[in-house]
Amino acid sequence: MLNSTQGEVRFDAGARAAYAADASNYRQVPLGVVLPRSIDDVLAAVAACRANGAPLLVRGGGTSQSGQGVNEALVVDCSKYLDRVLEVDPQRRVARVQPGVVCDALREAAERHGLTFAPDPATHSRCTLGGMIANNSCGPHSVMAGKTVENIERLEILTYDGARFWVGRTSDEELQRIIGRGGRQGEIYAQLKALIERYGDLVRRRFPKIKRRVSGYNLDQLLPENGFDVARALVGSEGTCALTLQAEARLVKSPRERVLVVQGYDDIFAAGDAVPELLAARPIACEGLDEFIIGGLRERGLRLDDIALLPPGKAWVMLEFGADTLEEALAMARELPGKVITEKKLLERLWSIRETGASATALTLGAAGPDPVVGWEDAAVDPMRLGAYLREFRALIARFGYRTSLYGHFGDGCVHARIDFALRSQEGVAHWRRFLAEAAELVVKYGGSLSGEHGDGQAKAEFLPVMFGEELVQAFREFKRIWDPAGKMNPGKLVDPYRADQHLRMGPSYKPVEMKTHMRFKSEVGDGFLRASERCIGMGKCRSLKGGTMCPSYRGTREERFSTRGRARLLQEMLRGEVITEGWASEDVKEALEWCLACKGCASDCPTHTDMAAYKAEFLSHYYERRRRPIQALTMGRIGEWAPYAAAFPKVSNLLGSLAKAVAGVAKERDLPKFAPRTFRSQFRPAGRGRRVVLLDDTFNNHFRPETASAAQRVLEAAGCAIELPAERICCGRPYYDFGMLDRAKRTLEHALRVLPRDVPVVVLEPGCLSVFRDELPRVVPGARIPAMSLAEVLLEMDFCPPTIEQQVLLHGHCHQKALIGLKAEQTLLKAAGCEVLAPDTGCCGMAGSFGYRPEFYETSKKIAALELLPALHAARESLVLADGFSCREQIEGLAKRKTLHLAELLEKGVRTLFP
């Protein structure tokens, strides 16, 4: 039956491995994965499950933290194709969307009409509306307009047995019509009516009277006083009852101006005590975080500039105020003491601390103790009692010998906690279970909810009787049975659940293999390739479609296995040896990593700094030990070896290159870079006097763009430098890593260490080469160091005052440049030269060394460029285009037909006016 779908159907080990875990502590290997292209494909997938009695799980962005995003079932992932905003009606203030649309995409569409979709969890850049509906997601602005449940008007749903219909608020007359009409919908509605008549008084009595009650089914939405709202009753059902085909979402007015007030407190308890008074000021968001989040970031050297913006304290509350005018927002903000921030970029930076801080500190530094995990993550109480609850909760944690950070949506009394549960031993798990039982009792004591945001899934569901009592838990069972009599929709989650300690991803049965590696994997959170593979905790920032660099291959393909998280899951499964059993010889892992552009964006953009470029090079080095490498490994991977010989006959080499693209494994659509008539080294003449520096004549700027190196020489001499070249020609070996040729990479670096001086700055013009000396060198040759610097860094160190240029410049940074070095030095020099610097977020160019030249990746390379870079170039048609990366320049000139300049060439233009 699945053979008839137009969607993508996968039962291979790689797909099953990529979807075996989410952002929770749990792991369950799915039966297979379906990526539907249409609603008909969804219908076919459900029909196939029904015909075979197979369980079904519909998954959104895979960022669930309670285990509801994994199951031994057929996984239907709508995020690749069913991802559109179908309609926005600004008059009715509703939007109709497909289930795979990302939250930010809906919010952007609504903002064009001055509206917004209020729920905005920390994962808003990648979570889907279908997933938000399943989990009843919230976010900081639930203070303004509630959880997802309050923001859903209607749903078109599909049941496991094939019934398809729209649900929503139901009048008495409509309810009678639906029941009278009969059929599956009439049967369901009749049973729901009987259910709420039987349990209604108990629902009124036992459901917590707080905003953030996310635990359990929303039976309260079926009460007559709530309009028998079947859509809202299904929100938060975690895919256990029906799946969403379309959703009609409520939109609210979006404040035009927003102001942030940041307050410092002596401790998190004082911050909690202050919440009632703070809410009286009518903020649209009220967030708290403690010193352990900030201290963890400081220890890691992360976000230090942003942390410096915080007022003194050991805990902080961030309050956002919104209004039509800045004056109105400021008037509300100034009613409270604290640091007032109005600049949009500063607001975003501070919110980012709150959104990513916990993930960034999710790994224990060194080898001391277990990592903080999400085993008790999001309980909620009445915000009026928050301070008292926090004191008892912290005391409970201390009594069990745990450590934690505390943060969360204080305006709604929702507390997040990453606690260092020891889940890898039977004793640790037993201790954890005792903690869970007492933590549940404590929440109930304060009239709260076990889950205030992430849902019950498997992590909390076992303890629902503590919160609701056995009779209401029985009502939940009956609610699920009405929708899913066969019990095949995400079984074992929320109702009749697996125990909290079953299916643990890294529990007592976790026995991965530590493999010997060529590169050194040593970091602040522990050593070895196994520990490196564990860095990914599944929060999925790599699936964001905008912002930063990570992850270009996901953005270009929308494939989970081609995201940083997907690749990390494949590597983890490879080390487990259960689903992926071939180790370093795995074709599934090899395919996923070959699609990695090795942009290093994840090394900086990922909160846990999962460095997939390094993992790719290591894996491929082992994979190809017993296999022949592709032709591109010779033609592009070893370009540093053969380029000097080809450069001796540039006309012949250029002609042969153009004729032999197919043989060389180059896409026919690509123009190969041309060898220059003369290399830079052949025309170099030392002339400067002053500070001694070595200018690296790398493969690309020596053989293909010698004018860049010549310009750099002139600028450095104008700055007071005496330039010399390395005594022998050297290459950093950057292309080797793309093909796992680590033996050659090591020999190349050892040669560089012999040739280059250790006490003289080495000016490196190509960012990819600079990243080798900064990043790969200590991995390949432990303890080695080369004093490599970018041109901008050297010039700033020398207090070089650039001549006036006064040009508008679009600055595009090479991915390695952005990930490891940043563009601050370049921007400082350009502004000192009087340039108007445009530095839009251009993402990855899509070329990535050899990636964009290979026929199998060419179309994706173009698509990646078209996401951010090409639109930015189009919007700045009159600007000079500055790009230091050789591959970036080739991509821009090839696709956008725009001339590019290296920083050296732009500065040399100014130098030439002073010294003609």
Side-chain angles (χ1 to χ4, degrees):
M1 193 173 294
L2 281 173
N3 293 334
S4 65
T5 72
Q6 299 300 308
E8 299 173 24
V9 181
R10 298 174 187 159
F11 289 92
D12 58 281
R16 295 170 65 231
Y19 286 84
D22 53 9
S24 71
N25 296 329
Y26 300 100
R27 168 186 176 267
Q28 289 178 274
V29 181
L31 304 176
V33 180
V34 176
L35 307 176
R37 295 177 185 270
S38 66
I39 296 299
D40 286 343
D41 290 342
V42 177
L43 301 179
V46 175
C49 285
R50 187 166 61 250
N52 292 279
L56 176 70
L57 166 63
V58 183
R59 171 160 148 162
T63 56
S64 297
Q65 297 186 18
S66 296
Q68 61 268 56
V70 293
N71 216 321
E72 294 172 13
L74 181 72
V75 173
V76 177
D77 180 357
C78 298
S79 65
K80 183 172 182 178
Y81 298 113
L82 299 179
D83 63 342
R84 290 189 297 133
V85 177
L86 300 172
E87 178 187 8
V88 175
D89 186 334
Q91 280 69 45
R92 292 176 54 224
R93 292 191 175 182
V94 295
R96 188 164 55 87
V97 301
Q98 293 180 315
V101 72
V102 168
C103 177
D104 273 357
L106 170 58
R107 295 169 71 206
E108 287 173 12
E111 285 289 351
R112 299 185 192 112
H113 305 279
L115 303 171
T116 190
F117 183 69
D120 57 342
T123 55
H124 54 81
S125 65
R126 60 268 192 198
C127 66
T128 67
L129 259 290
M132 293 178 71
I133 290 165
N135 288 348
N136 197 5
S137 299
C138 308
H141 291 95
S142 61
V143 173
M144 176 176 74
K147 311 180 295 295
T148 296
V149 68
E150 286 88 22
N151 292 277
I152 293 298
E153 296 296 334
R154 295 196 308 150
L155 298 174
E156 185 186 20
I157 57 97
L158 176 69
T159 63
Y160 186 85
D161 51 21
R164 175 184 179 182
F165 49 89
W166 281 90
V167 296
R169 191 177 180 89
T170 317
S171 67
D172 291 342
E173 295 78 11
E174 185 181 3
L175 178 58
Q176 292 307 316
R177 280 198 302 272
I178 292 172
I179 294 173
R181 195 165 58 231
R184 184 69 175 109
Q185 184 181 9
E187 175 187 289
I188 290 171
Y189 274 55
Q191 292 177 357
L192 291 176
K193 182 174 182 291
L195 178 76
I196 201 60
E197 287 173 349
R198 192 162 64 254
Y199 290 103
D201 288 341
L202 190 59
V203 168
R204 294 182 183 96
R205 194 165 62 249
R206 288 298 300 262
F207 269 46
K209 305 301 188 290
I210 61 172
K211 287 185 176 181
R212 282 296 188 100
R213 196 275 308 154
V214 171
S215 281
Y217 288 126
N218 290 332
L219 299 186
D220 56 325
Q221 295 295 332
L222 296 176
L223 292 168
E225 58 266 35
N226 291 328
F228 199 82
D229 197 323
V230 179
R232 293 185 177 184
L234 285 171
V235 171
S237 57
E238 302 181 7
T240 60
C241 296
L243 59 86
T244 299
L245 299 177
Q246 293 186 70
E248 196 173 83
R250 167 181 173 247
L251 305 177
V252 298
K253 184 177 180 181
S254 179
R256 292 181 184 175
E257 299 291 343
R258 299 178 187 234
V259 172
L260 194 66
V261 176
V262 186
Q263 298 180 327
Y265 290 87
D266 291 338
D267 55 44
I268 198 68
F269 315 124
D273 291 337
V275 167
E277 181 181 350
L278 299 177
L279 290 178
R282 295 176 292 115
I284 61 174
C286 176
E287 301 289 289
L289 65 162
D290 71 3
E291 61 181 325
F292 292 102
I293 293 285
I294 301 304
L297 292 171
R298 281 198 185 104
E299 284 184 80
R300 292 161 172 78
L302 303 174
R303 312 300 299 277
L304 298 182
D305 290 344
D306 300 340
I307 291 171
L309 298 171
L310 298 174
K314 293 187 176 180
W316 295 266
V317 173
M318 300 165 60
L319 299 123
E320 187 175 87
F321 294 88
D324 286 338
T325 67
L326 182 59
E327 291 73 20
E328 290 176 283
L330 279 171
M332 289 188 285
R334 285 171 179 158
E335 290 181 12
L336 297 174
K339 187 170 185 177
V340 179
I341 296 173
T342 59
E343 186 181 336
K344 185 178 179 181
K345 287 188 177 180
L346 292 184
L347 262 73
E348 291 174 351
R349 285 166 55 186
L350 285 170
W351 275 125
S352 185
I353 292 178
R354 164 61 189 84
E355 291 180 351
T356 63
S359 296
T361 58
L363 301 170
T364 299
L365 294 178
D371 295 326
V373 293
V374 295
W376 183 264
E377 221 283 327
D378 65 319
V381 299
D382 185 341
M384 301 297 119
R385 306 175 68 189
L386 181 58
Y389 169 74
L390 287 171
R391 288 180 176 87
E392 285 206 52
F393 183 57
R394 178 80 83 179
L396 175 67
I397 289 168
R399 181 155 53 81
F400 274 81
Y402 295 135
R403 296 179 72 250
T404 188
S405 55
L406 294 175
Y407 61 106
H409 312 295
F410 278 22
D412 278 340
C414 182
V415 179
H416 293 311
R418 294 286 174 93
I419 306 173
D420 58 343
F421 301 124
L423 303 183
R424 300 196 187 191
S425 69
Q426 296 289 357
E427 298 78 12
V429 168
H431 192 60
W432 173 53
R433 286 190 58 82
R434 290 191 291 271
F435 170 84
L436 293 178
E438 292 199 34
E441 294 282 0
L442 178 61
V443 169
V444 173
K445 171 184 172 181
Y446 278 88
S449 175
L450 306 187
S451 173
E453 183 156 40
H454 297 308
D456 301 311
Q458 183 176 340
K460 308 284 181 61
E462 180 184 351
F463 302 95
L464 288 179
V466 177
M467 177 178 168
F468 290 104
E470 291 291 351
E471 194 173 355
L472 270 181
V473 169
Q474 176 58 29
F476 294 158
R477 289 192 188 97
E478 293 178 28
F479 182 79
K480 174 177 170 60
R481 198 174 301 126
I482 290 169
W483 292 99
D484 179 29
K488 297 297 185 179
M489 296 287 292
N490 206 9
K493 308 301 164 96
L494 203 156
V495 167
D496 297 322
Y498 299 113
R499 295 191 318 274
D501 57 333
Q502 288 180 277
H503 307 301
L504 289 173
R505 183 162 57 93
M506 295 182 183
S509 64
Y510 175 59
K511 305 294 182 187
V513 176
E514 178 67 90
M515 295 182 172
K516 187 176 180 181
T517 60
H518 298 298
M519 297 174 76
R520 185 187 190 195
F521 291 90
K522 184 177 179 62
S523 73
E524 80 284 5
V525 298
D527 301 344
F529 189 73
L530 172 61
R531 183 60 172 162
S533 76
E534 293 175 353
R535 293 188 80 108
C536 174
I537 60 171
M539 286 305 295
K541 192 179 178 186
C542 48
R543 286 173 54 104
S544 300
L545 299 178
K546 291 184 179 180
T549 302
M550 176 182 71
C551 172
S553 53
Y554 175 76
R555 293 180 184 183
T557 65
R558 304 290 289 276
E559 283 281 347
E560 171 71 17
R561 64 202 168 115
F562 296 159
S563 69
T564 304
R565 181 180 69 182
R567 294 185 179 102
R569 292 290 177 256
L570 284 163
L571 287 169
Q572 289 167 9
E573 291 295 334
M574 180 189 84
L575 295 176
R576 294 181 83 108
E578 297 169 13
V579 179
I580 294 177
T581 58
E582 306 89 351
W584 295 121
S586 169
E587 292 293 335
D588 291 303
V589 178
K590 182 252 188 182
E591 180 191 26
L593 289 171
E594 276 209 316
W595 277 85
C596 170
L597 280 74
C599 68
K600 296 183 184 285
C602 48
S604 58
D605 291 355
C606 171
T608 61
H609 303 293
T610 298
D611 187 357
M612 198 52 62
Y615 310 164
K616 172 184 178 177
E618 183 65 44
F619 175 86
L620 291 179
S621 71
H622 296 277
Y623 176 85
Y624 284 119
E625 284 174 349
R626 297 176 182 175
R627 290 171 176 79
R628 180 178 295 178
R629 287 184 169 87
I631 186 63
Q632 293 94 343
L634 174 64
T635 58
M636 289 179 268
R638 295 174 63 179
I639 187 173
E641 298 177 39
W642 59 260
Y645 302 102
F649 307 97
K651 291 184 179 179
V652 175
S653 298
N654 290 334
L655 177 62
L656 290 176
S658 298
L659 295 175
K661 284 194 291 186
V663 176
V666 175
K668 64 180 185 301
E669 299 87 349
R670 286 289 185 195
D671 291 328
L672 288 171
K674 302 295 185 184
F675 284 93
R678 293 182 62 197
T679 65
F680 170 68
R681 180 171 277 261
S682 69
Q683 54 189 297
F684 173 75
R685 300 292 181 272
R689 304 177 65 183
R691 182 185 181 184
R692 181 185 170 206
V693 298
V694 173
L695 178 60
L696 181 70
D697 53 329
D698 63 86
T699 297
F700 303 105
N701 288 307
N702 182 39
H703 298 108
F704 299 101
R705 294 185 184 259
E707 64 276 10
T708 297
S710 296
Q713 178 186 0
R714 185 154 190 185
V715 172
L716 286 166
E717 288 172 347
C721 294
I723 315 298
E724 58 186 75
L725 298 185
E728 301 175 27
R729 195 195 68 81
I730 65 169
C731 176
C732 72
R734 161 56 59 204
Y736 290 141
Y737 298 91
D738 291 338
F739 299 94
M741 293 187 282
L742 296 185
D743 51 348
R744 292 179 180 275
K746 184 176 183 179
R747 290 197 296 270
T748 296
L749 286 175
E750 288 172 339
H751 178 243
L753 287 166
R754 289 192 296 270
V755 172
L756 293 172
R758 307 297 175 84
D759 56 349
V760 177
V762 178
V763 181
V764 183
L765 302 176
E766 170 56 42
C769 299
L770 182 57
S771 72
V772 170
F773 297 130
R774 295 273 179 93
D775 195 31
E776 277 83 6
L777 175 61
R779 294 178 187 270
V780 176
V781 187
R785 178 182 174 274
I786 288 173
M789 302 176 72
S790 70
L791 175 65
E793 288 173 327
V794 170
L795 293 175
L796 284 182
E797 189 178 275
M798 297 189 65
D799 295 322
F800 174 65
C801 183
T804 301
I805 299 172
E806 293 184 345
Q807 295 272 357
Q808 187 183 75
V809 177
L810 174 68
L811 177 62
H812 169 73
H814 184 284
C815 289
H816 294 187
Q817 198 174 4
K818 291 183 282 193
L820 301 177
I821 307 159
L823 297 171
K824 189 174 181 179
E826 285 76 9
Q827 291 183 11
T828 300
L829 282 171
L830 291 170
K831 289 176 181 177
C835 292
E836 178 188 352
V837 183
L838 306 178
D841 199 342
T842 50
C844 176
C845 76
M847 183 66 90
S850 63
F851 181 89
Y853 284 100
R854 296 177 66 169
E856 63 268 40
F857 304 137
Y858 173 72
E859 289 299 328
T860 299
S861 172
K862 281 177 58 181
K863 189 171 182 179
I864 292 168
L867 294 172
E868 303 288 347
L869 176 58
L870 296 184
L873 290 167
H874 180 74
R877 288 187 290 269
E878 304 304 318
S879 301
L880 296 177
V881 180
L882 193 68
D884 286 357
F886 179 82
S887 59
C888 301
R889 299 180 72 177
E890 291 294 309
Q891 182 82 312
I892 292 168
E893 292 176 3
L895 296 183
K897 308 303 180 185
R898 295 280 296 274
K899 177 176 172 56
T900 62
L901 294 172
H902 190 284
L903 176 67
E905 294 170 300
L906 181 62
L907 294 178
E908 195 263 347
K909 287 177 179 289
V911 168
R912 202 185 312 142
T913 62
L914 293 180
F915 309 102

